[in-house]
Amino acid sequence: MPADDFIGRERDVTDLCRIVGGTRMVTLTGTGGMGKTRLALRVAERVLPRFAGGLRFVDLSEAASPAQVVRAVARSLGVLENGDKPPVEAVVAALRPQRVLLLLDTCERAVGPLADLCRSLLTSCPGVQILATSRQPLRVPGESVWRVPPLSLPPPPAGGRASAASPYPVTPEQALRFEAVRLFTARAQAARPGLEITAANAADIAEICRMLDGVPLAIELAAARARVLSVQQILRRLDDRFLLLVTAGNELPPRQRTLRAVLEWSHDLLTHPEQVLLRRLTVFGTWNLEQAETVCGHDGIDPGDVLELVSSLIDKSLIVLDTEVDGTAHYRLPDSVRAYAAERLAAAGEEETAWRRCLDALVASAEDMAAAGSGRLAWEERLRHLRRLDHQREDTARLLEWALEQGRAEEGLRLCVALRPYWFVRGLFTDGSHYLRRLLAVAPPSSLDPVRARALAVHAELCLDIEGAGAAAALARSALGMAQACGDTAAEAIALSALADAALRAGETGACEEHARRALDASGAAGDHLSAVAALGTLGRLARRSGNAAAAEAYLTRSAEVAEEVGDRWCTARCLNGLGVLATQLGDLEGARRRLDEALRIFAEMDVAPETARSTAALGYLDLARGDISGARRRFSGCLRAGVASGRRGAVARSMEALAELALAEEQPERAASLAGVAAQLYTALGQPAPHATRLYDAARQDLTSDAAEKSWRAWRMLPREQAVERALDFPTPRRALPSLLTPREKEIAALVGEGMSNRQIAEHLTISQATAARHIANIFRKLLITSRTQLAEWAGRHGIGG
């Protein structure tokens, strides 16, 4: 193999050379096509000077019996077979006086006989060291096993895997940092000289390598297709990888000339139970041992045998360890192994059974977690549930799609209802609405179906920020009627809570209060603290809008108490956020900061983007009240970006209103009117009034002519949404720094700076420390967007601050 033919694995080679120097036997294991032989040869090349007798390479791909194993080794050593000695003794006798490295390649067909031979050689031949390649360890005493990893890969796109139609952005320089991309590029250039990795194809190459799990053989077979296909065509055709990844050349042994041949070779070496388990595991994206026992342990597979079978498949490099979630190991199949084994599952006629058992198990698990979370549950346990659902999110999506395809709407709806708390915590409103809409469309209607009633009610909650109050109210009314018809109090509580929120958004105060109070009664009867907290929060917002701050605080405090009783700190944090907003409006800025900081700490602990954005917005209003313009800009901008990313038009509208408030504080009425106009347009699309946006526009009109105000109000409404967002995030230079932004103490210090005093003199004059004086000046600089004491002195003089 030419020196320049080996790409990547520099760290592996270095580490293996060190291990070979201190260990008599090293076995490189890994799935087929992982490059075990090439890696072993490169290591052998590096360590060869240590062995006076040189390297002895033994190809064992055709050896299955003890006699065939010994014969293959004997042939490579030039040992003649004769009747004087048994073959094993002849091999031992030939190697005993030598200092050699014995490279045993492709050992998986005869693991037992090879293990016996290696034990004999290690015992009787002190100068022999063994380097072996196998899809499973040989289990020889003293054996050091090195599991050959895939080539390094670019990280997946945020939020999930990219697609051929929409790969994630990556530059050529970024992509070429990874071994898999370098290998694909080199082999593609060999197939089509002149092909380069560019900004146009780098993301596609990265995705090809990811889809092939960084397996060198698969990457080389794909790159060879660059002779006749573009990179984009290769990516699009990878769904049919077993037809695409074929080579007609003789540079590879027959078992490696197609990806299918590699996998068939591995599959044929498995025991029957291993083959059965492997194909059944294809219904999972990731799984733990308990899930495998539940779903796969039937008809020929005893649940008690699954642990040993999984261990064996890991040894044979067909299963890989995925990660640990709260101390529980999870596993996965490499993509190509999954694709091949899935074909075997279909051929065995077990596809429907395996998927049904997997769906049933996930529904049962999700319902158990939802039931546990509805009562008193320790916060750490709630976080464990959250992390577990995070980890199986991809499986959940796959199983919901299967339920839709197979017409199993009831199981799909049960799963969606059980996932209600998770979808809210993670802000997956779009995902939840998407599946509920489709499942409800195929589920047979029934007025006495509690599952359908609950699903309709959850859909109403989820779509409030996506489709608006009108659509949500219509769904909630249907859910309420169905819940009352079948006597399901749980569905009734959710539906009434959604109706109350929809009425509040629509400005229907009487209906809002009525629905919220009924929701409280129903949630108490159903033991549904989520609906109770939501109803109390709605009553608190209604009271705040009505100017009754005391009632608003009472509702929010009671809501927090309900959450604390069951240990749900996510709900507690939402209540703290509401109390912080109320405190800001009442001028209790320190109390607001304490509540909002605590809410943000909880949300950050959970890594929940929507609620983090909500708290960030509240802190932005607090910054505005304090006169911290740069802080408010940063927070409101982050909220707008989060709203756009989530697809929640209501969140985008609220962010536009916040930025309009900021523009008014900065004396930029035209910008404020334009932002308010976009917010109002979004609310109109959601079928909701926009009283806050209208008030902001009225405030902006005070400083504009009627014509200018109207023009500004409409200026951004006709723009594509992306352009309106871009303009909202492009802050103009302030016209001037405003005295109103400073606290009385800060104005006093600004005046003293204007008189030419140093920090020490200011500290002595005001009887404060120099550090406190310096901190005040830093705050003044930040608020006024200036950077020097000279600028501050000039500003103080212009505004008549001081003597």
Side-chain angles (χ1 to χ4, degrees):
M1 181 176 60
D4 61 357
D5 193 42
F6 193 86
I7 295 173
R9 300 210 186 278
E10 293 85 359
R11 179 64 180 272
D12 291 343
V13 171
T14 300
D15 289 345
L16 279 167
C17 287
R18 177 178 50 78
I19 293 170
V20 168
T23 305
R24 294 283 309 282
M25 179 173 179
V26 178
T27 302
L28 308 186
T29 66
T31 190
M34 195 60 76
K36 299 182 293 294
T37 301
R38 283 190 178 184
L39 179 57
L41 285 168
R42 174 51 62 98
V43 171
E45 176 186 300
R46 291 277 186 89
V47 301
L48 200 54
R50 306 176 193 172
F51 297 91
L55 170 69
R56 298 291 186 269
F57 180 89
V58 185
D59 180 3
L60 293 158
S61 59
E62 301 301 324
S65 68
Q68 290 171 331
V69 165
V70 176
R71 193 174 300 123
V73 175
R75 276 199 307 268
S76 72
L77 297 175
V79 175
L80 298 177
E81 294 185 48
N82 57 62
D84 296 338
K85 292 181 181 178
V88 173
E89 289 186 19
V91 168
V92 170
L95 287 175
R96 185 176 290 119
Q98 299 191 50
R99 172 69 175 152
V100 298
L101 178 63
L102 188 63
L103 202 169
L104 304 177
D105 188 52
T106 316
C107 299
E108 56 267 12
R109 289 193 67 190
V111 170
L114 276 164
D116 292 338
L117 177 63
C118 290
R119 277 191 287 269
S120 297
L121 293 174
L122 293 172
T123 301
S124 305
C125 306
V128 171
Q129 286 187 236
I130 299 171
L131 182 60
T133 73
S134 176
R135 298 188 189 184
Q136 65 186 99
L138 300 185
R139 305 297 185 196
V140 175
E143 175 188 29
S144 179
V145 178
W146 178 280
R147 197 171 297 279
V148 178
L151 296 175
S152 61
L153 290 164
R161 166 172 285 179
S163 67
S166 179
Y168 63 104
V170 62
T171 67
E173 294 74 20
Q174 290 170 329
L176 285 168
R177 295 174 190 166
F178 301 95
E179 296 168 332
V181 173
R182 294 203 300 274
L183 177 64
F184 180 94
T185 304
R187 300 298 186 257
Q189 288 170 343
R192 191 205 306 173
L195 185 149
E196 298 290 340
I197 181 169
T198 66
N201 65 20
D204 293 319
I205 292 174
E207 188 60 21
I208 288 169
C209 295
R210 278 185 43 73
M211 288 184 71
L212 296 176
D213 291 303
V215 176
L217 174 65
I219 290 170
E220 293 197 2
L221 293 173
R225 289 297 185 178
R227 184 178 293 110
V228 292
L229 297 175
S230 71
V231 169
Q232 290 80 5
Q233 286 175 304
I234 294 171
L235 177 57
R236 287 196 295 270
R237 289 170 178 261
L238 270 183
D239 282 341
D240 201 2
R241 66 190 69 189
F242 297 127
L243 290 176
L244 179 70
L245 304 183
V246 178
T247 180
N250 294 321
E251 65 274 12
L252 294 173
R255 71 179 186 278
Q256 290 191 340
R257 289 181 190 163
T258 72
L259 185 59
R260 182 182 295 281
V262 170
L263 294 166
E264 284 177 345
W265 170 274
S266 294
H267 184 267
D268 290 347
L269 296 175
L270 300 178
T271 65
H272 178 68
E274 288 171 343
Q275 292 177 347
V276 174
L277 180 63
L278 182 68
R279 69 187 182 226
R280 290 177 182 174
L281 289 172
T282 59
V283 297
F284 294 106
T286 176
W287 73 89
N288 59 35
L289 183 62
E290 181 184 352
Q291 290 172 307
E293 290 168 340
T294 301
V295 173
C296 304
H298 66 96
D299 296 337
I301 299 288
D302 189 285
D305 295 335
V306 170
L307 173 58
E308 288 305 316
L309 291 171
V310 167
S311 299
S312 180
L313 290 170
I314 289 174
D315 282 346
K316 293 168 183 176
S317 305
L318 293 169
I319 291 175
V320 296
L321 183 66
D322 185 16
T323 188
E324 285 191 13
V325 180
D326 288 320
T328 299
H330 284 70
Y331 313 91
R332 65 177 177 84
L333 297 176
D335 273 4
S336 295
V337 174
R338 181 196 310 283
Y340 175 80
E343 290 184 1
R344 293 282 183 166
L345 183 71
E350 293 185 331
E351 199 170 24
E352 194 276 336
T353 299
W355 280 89
R356 176 182 51 76
R357 288 177 67 91
C358 192
L359 176 62
D360 289 346
L362 183 59
V363 170
S365 171
E367 288 181 336
D368 285 347
M369 282 190 277
S374 66
R376 293 183 66 86
L377 191 67
W379 178 236
E380 185 52 44
E381 189 64 24
R382 290 184 186 274
L383 289 178
R384 276 196 286 272
H385 287 177
L386 181 64
R387 289 189 289 266
R388 182 173 174 184
L389 290 168
D390 281 340
H391 190 69
Q392 62 190 33
R393 185 174 161 188
E394 183 181 338
D395 275 358
T396 301
R398 292 169 67 239
L399 286 164
L400 285 171
E401 288 293 343
W402 185 81
L404 280 160
E405 292 168 6
Q406 300 298 315
R408 293 188 172 274
E410 180 178 351
E411 293 96 324
L413 290 173
R414 284 172 57 198
L415 180 54
C416 288
V417 170
L419 290 172
R420 174 200 179 205
Y422 176 71
W423 276 335
F424 271 94
V425 168
R426 280 286 175 247
L428 300 175
F429 305 97
T430 302
D431 287 4
S433 293
H434 169 75
Y435 287 117
L436 280 163
R437 184 183 305 107
R438 294 166 65 199
L439 286 162
L440 286 164
V442 299
S446 168
S447 61
L448 297 175
D449 184 352
V451 172
R452 186 179 181 88
R454 294 187 191 187
L456 276 167
V458 173
H459 189 195
E461 285 184 308
L462 290 170
C463 77
L464 267 166
D465 252 6
I466 299 168
E467 299 179 35
L475 287 166
R477 282 192 290 270
S478 296
L480 182 60
M482 195 172 292
Q484 291 171 336
C486 63
D488 191 84
T489 311
E492 189 176 349
I494 301 170
L496 286 166
S497 175
L499 279 170
D501 198 345
L504 180 66
R505 295 175 188 229
E508 300 167 358
T509 56
C512 171
E513 184 168 7
E514 179 190 350
H515 293 317
R517 295 196 181 283
R518 290 176 62 196
L520 278 177
D521 292 339
S523 61
D528 178 4
H529 76 274
L530 276 178
S531 294
V533 167
L536 286 165
T538 299
L539 287 169
R541 281 153 47 213
L542 179 62
R544 193 179 76 221
R545 289 186 186 183
S546 305
N548 191 341
E553 184 174 14
Y555 283 127
L556 288 169
T557 301
R558 182 179 164 197
S559 182
E561 290 168 352
V562 170
E564 285 294 319
E565 283 175 9
V566 295
D568 190 342
R569 290 188 58 73
W570 177 74
C571 284
T572 302
R574 297 186 79 200
C575 300
L576 287 170
N577 193 75
L579 288 166
V581 170
L582 185 63
T584 299
Q585 293 175 343
L586 294 173
D588 178 11
L589 303 190
E590 184 56 32
R593 184 195 61 77
R594 285 197 309 273
R595 293 180 176 94
L596 293 174
D597 282 350
E598 175 64 10
L600 193 59
R601 187 192 64 76
I602 296 170
F603 292 143
E605 179 184 7
M606 301 176 71
D607 190 24
V608 287
E611 301 304 337
T612 298
R614 195 181 294 271
S615 276
T616 299
L619 284 164
Y621 280 106
L622 178 58
D623 286 338
L624 205 55
R626 288 170 161 170
D628 184 355
I629 294 297
S630 60
R633 279 186 175 187
R634 185 179 67 256
R635 296 189 199 275
F636 290 156
S637 298
C639 293
L640 178 55
R641 292 188 182 96
V644 171
S646 72
R648 298 169 63 196
R649 288 182 290 176
V652 175
R654 289 190 290 273
S655 295
M656 291 289 184
E657 288 175 328
L659 288 167
E661 292 268 18
L662 176 60
L664 287 173
E666 293 186 280
E667 295 188 356
Q668 293 167 348
E670 298 95 337
R671 175 176 166 83
S674 295
L675 288 160
V678 175
Q681 184 184 43
L682 287 165
Y683 284 124
T684 299
L686 289 169
Q688 297 172 204
H692 189 195
T694 303
R695 286 195 298 273
L696 290 166
Y697 174 59
D698 290 340
R701 287 176 59 192
Q702 303 302 312
D703 296 315
L704 297 171
T705 66
S706 297
D707 183 58
E710 183 67 20
K711 184 182 291 186
S712 297
W713 172 258
R714 299 186 181 279
W716 297 2
R717 292 163 66 100
M718 304 306 292
L719 296 174
R721 184 69 42 77
E722 297 78 11
Q723 286 186 30
V725 169
E726 189 177 317
R727 292 197 181 188
L729 296 173
D730 184 18
F731 293 99
T733 302
R735 292 175 175 170
R736 60 190 180 86
L738 308 174
S740 60
L741 298 179
L742 303 187
T743 65
R745 173 64 92 181
E746 287 167 347
K747 288 180 182 178
E748 188 176 10
I749 289 175
L752 296 175
V753 170
E755 294 175 13
M757 285 192 183
S758 66
N759 284 3
R760 182 180 59 78
Q761 291 169 324
I762 292 172
E764 291 174 353
H765 183 79
L766 298 178
T767 318
I768 58 176
S769 70
Q770 287 191 53
T772 301
R775 188 165 60 250
H776 279 305
I777 291 173
N779 287 338
I780 293 168
F781 282 5
R782 188 179 69 252
K783 290 181 179 182
L784 301 184
L785 305 175
I786 60 177
T787 58
S788 73
R789 298 172 78 91
T790 301
Q791 289 175 309
L792 178 55
E794 292 173 353
W795 178 87
R798 283 199 310 272
H799 290 283
I801 293 177

PDB file of all heavy atoms in Angstrom, residues 473-492:
ATOM      1  N   ALA A 473     -59.524  27.944  19.632  1.00  0.00           N
ATOM      2  CA  ALA A 473     -60.827  27.914  20.308  1.00  0.00           C
ATOM      3  C   ALA A 473     -61.766  26.909  19.650  1.00  0.00           C
ATOM      4  O   ALA A 473     -62.510  26.192  20.339  1.00  0.00           O
ATOM      5  CB  ALA A 473     -61.445  29.305  20.306  1.00  0.00           C
ATOM      6  N   ALA A 474     -61.745  26.831  18.321  1.00  0.00           N
ATOM      7  CA  ALA A 474     -62.613  25.879  17.617  1.00  0.00           C
ATOM      8  C   ALA A 474     -62.262  24.442  18.013  1.00  0.00           C
ATOM      9  O   ALA A 474     -63.152  23.617  18.281  1.00  0.00           O
ATOM     10  CB  ALA A 474     -62.470  26.070  16.111  1.00  0.00           C
ATOM     11  N   LEU A 475     -60.967  24.139  18.058  1.00  0.00           N
ATOM     12  CA  LEU A 475     -60.538  22.803  18.477  1.00  0.00           C
ATOM     13  C   LEU A 475     -60.931  22.532  19.927  1.00  0.00           C
ATOM     14  O   LEU A 475     -61.403  21.442  20.273  1.00  0.00           O
ATOM     15  CB  LEU A 475     -59.026  22.671  18.318  1.00  0.00           C
ATOM     16  CG  LEU A 475     -58.488  22.545  16.896  1.00  0.00           C
ATOM     17  CD1 LEU A 475     -56.979  22.759  16.883  1.00  0.00           C
ATOM     18  CD2 LEU A 475     -58.823  21.170  16.317  1.00  0.00           C
ATOM     19  N   ALA A 476     -60.735  23.535  20.786  1.00  0.00           N
ATOM     20  CA  ALA A 476     -61.032  23.356  22.203  1.00  0.00           C
ATOM     21  C   ALA A 476     -62.526  23.145  22.437  1.00  0.00           C
ATOM     22  O   ALA A 476     -62.921  22.345  23.295  1.00  0.00           O
ATOM     23  CB  ALA A 476     -60.532  24.559  22.997  1.00  0.00           C
ATOM     24  N   ARG A 477     -63.357  23.855  21.680  1.00  0.00           N
ATOM     25  CA  ARG A 477     -64.817  23.653  21.825  1.00  0.00           C
ATOM     26  C   ARG A 477     -65.215  22.237  21.417  1.00  0.00           C
ATOM     27  O   ARG A 477     -66.054  21.596  22.075  1.00  0.00           O
ATOM     28  CB  ARG A 477     -65.575  24.691  21.006  1.00  0.00           C
ATOM     29  CG  ARG A 477     -65.640  26.070  21.657  1.00  0.00           C
ATOM     30  CD  ARG A 477     -66.635  26.980  20.952  1.00  0.00           C
ATOM     31  NE  ARG A 477     -66.161  27.372  19.642  1.00  0.00           N
ATOM     32  CZ  ARG A 477     -65.421  28.444  19.387  1.00  0.00           C
ATOM     33  NH1 ARG A 477     -65.059  29.238  20.384  1.00  0.00           N
ATOM     34  NH2 ARG A 477     -65.036  28.735  18.156  1.00  0.00           N
ATOM     35  N   SER A 478     -64.623  21.733  20.325  1.00  0.00           N
ATOM     36  CA  SER A 478     -64.910  20.352  19.914  1.00  0.00           C
ATOM     37  C   SER A 478     -64.465  19.371  20.990  1.00  0.00           C
ATOM     38  O   SER A 478     -65.171  18.412  21.320  1.00  0.00           O
ATOM     39  CB  SER A 478     -64.189  20.032  18.596  1.00  0.00           C
ATOM     40  OG  SER A 478     -64.672  20.829  17.550  1.00  0.00           O
ATOM     41  N   ALA A 479     -63.278  19.636  21.542  1.00  0.00           N
ATOM     42  CA  ALA A 479     -62.759  18.757  22.587  1.00  0.00           C
ATOM     43  C   ALA A 479     -63.650  18.791  23.823  1.00  0.00           C
ATOM     44  O   ALA A 479     -63.917  17.745  24.443  1.00  0.00           O
ATOM     45  CB  ALA A 479     -61.334  19.184  22.960  1.00  0.00           C
ATOM     46  N   LEU A 480     -64.129  19.981  24.174  1.00  0.00           N
ATOM     47  CA  LEU A 480     -64.969  20.116  25.367  1.00  0.00           C
ATOM     48  C   LEU A 480     -66.279  19.360  25.195  1.00  0.00           C
ATOM     49  O   LEU A 480     -66.721  18.642  26.110  1.00  0.00           O
ATOM     50  CB  LEU A 480     -65.234  21.595  25.649  1.00  0.00           C
ATOM     51  CG  LEU A 480     -66.059  21.904  26.897  1.00  0.00           C
ATOM     52  CD1 LEU A 480     -65.374  21.382  28.150  1.00  0.00           C
ATOM     53  CD2 LEU A 480     -66.292  23.414  27.011  1.00  0.00           C
ATOM     54  N   GLY A 481     -66.885  19.496  24.027  1.00  0.00           N
ATOM     55  CA  GLY A 481     -68.132  18.775  23.786  1.00  0.00           C
ATOM     56  C   GLY A 481     -67.939  17.273  23.855  1.00  0.00           C
ATOM     57  O   GLY A 481     -68.746  16.542  24.452  1.00  0.00           O
ATOM     58  N   MET A 482     -66.856  16.792  23.267  1.00  0.00           N
ATOM     59  CA  MET A 482     -66.578  15.358  23.285  1.00  0.00           C
ATOM     60  C   MET A 482     -66.262  14.891  24.707  1.00  0.00           C
ATOM     61  O   MET A 482     -66.685  13.815  25.136  1.00  0.00           O
ATOM     62  CB  MET A 482     -65.394  15.072  22.345  1.00  0.00           C
ATOM     63  CG  MET A 482     -65.216  13.616  21.992  1.00  0.00           C
ATOM     64  SD  MET A 482     -63.949  13.388  20.714  1.00  0.00           S
ATOM     65  CE  MET A 482     -64.761  14.150  19.319  1.00  0.00           C
ATOM     66  N   ALA A 483     -65.493  15.712  25.462  1.00  0.00           N
ATOM     67  CA  ALA A 483     -65.136  15.345  26.836  1.00  0.00           C
ATOM     68  C   ALA A 483     -66.381  15.229  27.705  1.00  0.00           C
ATOM     69  O   ALA A 483     -66.505  14.302  28.523  1.00  0.00           O
ATOM     70  CB  ALA A 483     -64.178  16.381  27.413  1.00  0.00           C
ATOM     71  N   GLN A 484     -67.309  16.162  27.532  1.00  0.00           N
ATOM     72  CA  GLN A 484     -68.542  16.116  28.330  1.00  0.00           C
ATOM     73  C   GLN A 484     -69.409  14.932  27.934  1.00  0.00           C
ATOM     74  O   GLN A 484     -70.051  14.308  28.772  1.00  0.00           O
ATOM     75  CB  GLN A 484     -69.293  17.433  28.167  1.00  0.00           C
ATOM     76  CG  GLN A 484     -68.567  18.611  28.829  1.00  0.00           C
ATOM     77  CD  GLN A 484     -69.179  19.961  28.483  1.00  0.00           C
ATOM     78  OE1 GLN A 484     -69.842  20.104  27.440  1.00  0.00           O
ATOM     79  NE2 GLN A 484     -68.947  20.958  29.323  1.00  0.00           N
ATOM     80  N   ALA A 485     -69.393  14.599  26.634  1.00  0.00           N
ATOM     81  CA  ALA A 485     -70.207  13.475  26.171  1.00  0.00           C
ATOM     82  C   ALA A 485     -69.714  12.152  26.731  1.00  0.00           C
ATOM     83  O   ALA A 485     -70.514  11.254  27.027  1.00  0.00           O
ATOM     84  CB  ALA A 485     -70.202  13.426  24.637  1.00  0.00           C
ATOM     85  N   CYS A 486     -68.382  12.005  26.857  1.00  0.00           N
ATOM     86  CA  CYS A 486     -67.857  10.722  27.349  1.00  0.00           C
ATOM     87  C   CYS A 486     -67.456  10.791  28.818  1.00  0.00           C
ATOM     88  O   CYS A 486     -66.905   9.821  29.361  1.00  0.00           O
ATOM     89  CB  CYS A 486     -66.683  10.265  26.487  1.00  0.00           C
ATOM     90  SG  CYS A 486     -65.247  11.346  26.494  1.00  0.00           S
ATOM     91  N   GLY A 487     -67.672  11.950  29.464  1.00  0.00           N
ATOM     92  CA  GLY A 487     -67.399  12.082  30.888  1.00  0.00           C
ATOM     93  C   GLY A 487     -65.926  12.061  31.248  1.00  0.00           C
ATOM     94  O   GLY A 487     -65.562  11.555  32.317  1.00  0.00           O
ATOM     95  N   ASP A 488     -65.074  12.626  30.379  1.00  0.00           N
ATOM     96  CA  ASP A 488     -63.637  12.616  30.642  1.00  0.00           C
ATOM     97  C   ASP A 488     -63.218  13.972  31.223  1.00  0.00           C
ATOM     98  O   ASP A 488     -63.078  14.963  30.500  1.00  0.00           O
ATOM     99  CB  ASP A 488     -62.855  12.328  29.356  1.00  0.00           C
ATOM    100  CG  ASP A 488     -61.393  12.055  29.649  1.00  0.00           C
ATOM    101  OD1 ASP A 488     -61.054  10.915  29.972  1.00  0.00           O
ATOM    102  OD2 ASP A 488     -60.584  13.011  29.574  1.00  0.00           O
ATOM    103  N   THR A 489     -63.021  14.012  32.531  1.00  0.00           N
ATOM    104  CA  THR A 489     -62.690  15.272  33.209  1.00  0.00           C
ATOM    105  C   THR A 489     -61.332  15.796  32.799  1.00  0.00           C
ATOM    106  O   THR A 489     -61.110  17.013  32.725  1.00  0.00           O
ATOM    107  CB  THR A 489     -62.714  15.068  34.736  1.00  0.00           C
ATOM    108  OG1 THR A 489     -63.928  14.409  35.094  1.00  0.00           O
ATOM    109  CG2 THR A 489     -62.646  16.402  35.458  1.00  0.00           C
ATOM    110  N   ALA A 490     -60.377  14.884  32.513  1.00  0.00           N
ATOM    111  CA  ALA A 490     -59.030  15.321  32.126  1.00  0.00           C
ATOM    112  C   ALA A 490     -59.073  16.102  30.820  1.00  0.00           C
ATOM    113  O   ALA A 490     -58.459  17.176  30.697  1.00  0.00           O
ATOM    114  CB  ALA A 490     -58.108  14.107  32.002  1.00  0.00           C
ATOM    115  N   ALA A 491     -59.791  15.599  29.835  1.00  0.00           N
ATOM    116  CA  ALA A 491     -59.919  16.311  28.557  1.00  0.00           C
ATOM    117  C   ALA A 491     -60.651  17.631  28.753  1.00  0.00           C
ATOM    118  O   ALA A 491     -60.321  18.648  28.125  1.00  0.00           O
ATOM    119  CB  ALA A 491     -60.661  15.438  27.545  1.00  0.00           C
ATOM    120  N   GLU A 492     -61.637  17.629  29.637  1.00  0.00           N
ATOM    121  CA  GLU A 492     -62.398  18.847  29.906  1.00  0.00           C
ATOM    122  C   GLU A 492     -61.498  19.941  30.494  1.00  0.00           C
ATOM    123  O   GLU A 492     -61.567  21.110  30.097  1.00  0.00           O
ATOM    124  CB  GLU A 492     -63.537  18.520  30.878  1.00  0.00           C
ATOM    125  CG  GLU A 492     -64.534  19.666  31.074  1.00  0.00           C
ATOM    126  CD  GLU A 492     -65.702  19.259  31.960  1.00  0.00           C
ATOM    127  OE1 GLU A 492     -65.843  18.050  32.244  1.00  0.00           O
ATOM    128  OE2 GLU A 492     -66.461  20.161  32.373  1.00  0.00           O
TER     129      GLU A 492
END
